[in-house]
Amino acid sequence: MKQHFQMLAAYNRWVNERLYMAVSELDDEEYRRETGAFFGSLHRTLNHLLVTDRIWMFRFSGEGNAPKALDAILFEKFEDLKAAREKEDARILEWVRGLDSAAVASRFTYTTVSDMRTISQRLAPALAHLFNHQTHHRGQAHGILTGFGKTLPSFDLAQFQRTEEGRPYS
């Protein structure tokens, strides 16, 4: 499982770089435009992804800041959000690389943001959720960008596995 999660962390960083490169070509109006996506705009969707990654990483590691609302806007400026995303992706990758099999199989306890319940679960399914959640909202971002008429690079995991960085996982 450790190698699987290392692959997902490396993929997460790779695909976020591609997504942010595509978003960087938008003007501010497009970036902030209400589109009907769950969080409304690319601006809010990308902020949500950073919010939830920070929440989960705080739960996993006890380090960093955990925002108190799932729709928090951490960064108004795209450039600041992009820089924070790069740092968070590097943090996730480094943290996952440091896990051993016992840690992946361990349990942890946390309090939910939405309804303040205490949850205890194994780390492996929570890590799977972290990466699946990213994919879910990146798919929404991809749909928004496609709706704007943008041509995007592939976000597929298989495409990542064909890169130099991804080959060790294929």
Side-chain angles (χ1 to χ4, degrees), residues 88-166:
E88 195 67 24
D89 287 344
R91 175 182 175 218
I92 292 168
L93 185 57
E94 188 63 29
W95 184 79
V96 169
R97 284 180 177 155
L99 294 175
D100 59 23
S101 296
V104 171
S106 69
R107 295 186 74 80
F108 73 110
T109 301
Y110 63 93
T111 303
T112 61
V113 172
S114 56
D115 59 6
M116 302 304 289
R117 288 184 300 138
T118 300
I119 305 291
S120 178
Q121 73 176 100
R122 288 180 301 120
L123 180 61
L127 275 172
H129 168 74
L130 172 80
F131 296 119
N132 186 62
H133 181 259
Q134 278 275 347
T135 299
H136 167 67
H137 286 295
R138 273 195 303 262
Q140 292 174 344
H142 191 284
I144 292 169
L145 289 162
T146 301
F148 290 164
K150 305 300 180 188
T151 302
L152 300 168
S154 173
F155 286 7
D156 284 349
L157 178 62
Q159 189 68 34
F160 166 71
Q161 292 168 335
R162 294 174 189 141
T163 67
E164 187 174 331
E165 181 182 3

Side-chain angles (χ1 to χ4, degrees):
M1 289 302 296
K2 180 181 174 179
Q3 183 180 14
H4 178 71
F5 290 126
Q6 287 176 335
M7 175 190 67
L8 292 176
Y11 165 74
N12 185 64
R13 182 184 65 193
W14 176 85
V15 73
N16 279 338
E17 287 174 0
R18 294 178 138 220
L19 172 60
Y20 273 75
M21 185 180 302
V23 173
S24 71
E25 296 176 11
L26 299 177
D27 62 35
D28 194 61
E29 185 280 324
E30 289 173 312
Y31 173 62
R32 294 173 190 279
R33 184 184 299 166
E34 292 299 314
T35 62
F38 191 83
F39 284 92
S41 66
L42 281 167
H43 171 66
R44 292 202 320 252
T45 298
L46 297 180
N47 267 280
H48 169 71
L49 282 171
L50 184 59
V51 162
T52 55
D53 282 358
R54 286 183 172 182
I55 290 169
W56 280 106
M57 287 302 294
F58 180 78
R59 290 170 178 170
F60 296 154
S61 70
E63 297 175 1
N65 296 319
K68 302 296 183 210
L70 297 175
D71 61 353
I73 300 298
L74 300 177
F75 297 94
E76 280 296 335
K77 291 172 58 178
F78 174 75
E79 296 78 18
D80 296 338
L81 181 60
K82 182 177 182 289
R85 175 79 267 165
E86 290 168 358
K87 286 180 184 174
E88 195 67 24
D89 287 344
R91 175 182 175 218
I92 292 168
L93 185 57
E94 188 63 29
W95 184 79
V96 169
R97 284 180 177 155
L99 294 175
D100 59 23
S101 296
V104 171
S106 69
R107 295 186 74 80
F108 73 110
T109 301
Y110 63 93
T111 303
T112 61
V113 172
S114 56
D115 59 6
M116 302 304 289
R117 288 184 300 138
T118 300
I119 305 291
S120 178
Q121 73 176 100
R122 288 180 301 120
L123 180 61
L127 275 172
H129 168 74
L130 172 80
F131 296 119
N132 186 62
H133 181 259
Q134 278 275 347
T135 299
H136 167 67
H137 286 295
R138 273 195 303 262
Q140 292 174 344
H142 191 284
I144 292 169
L145 289 162
T146 301
F148 290 164
K150 305 300 180 188
T151 302
L152 300 168
S154 173
F155 286 7
D156 284 349
L157 178 62
Q159 189 68 34
F160 166 71
Q161 292 168 335
R162 294 174 189 141
T163 67
E164 187 174 331
E165 181 182 3
R167 268 189 214 106
Y169 305 108
S170 62

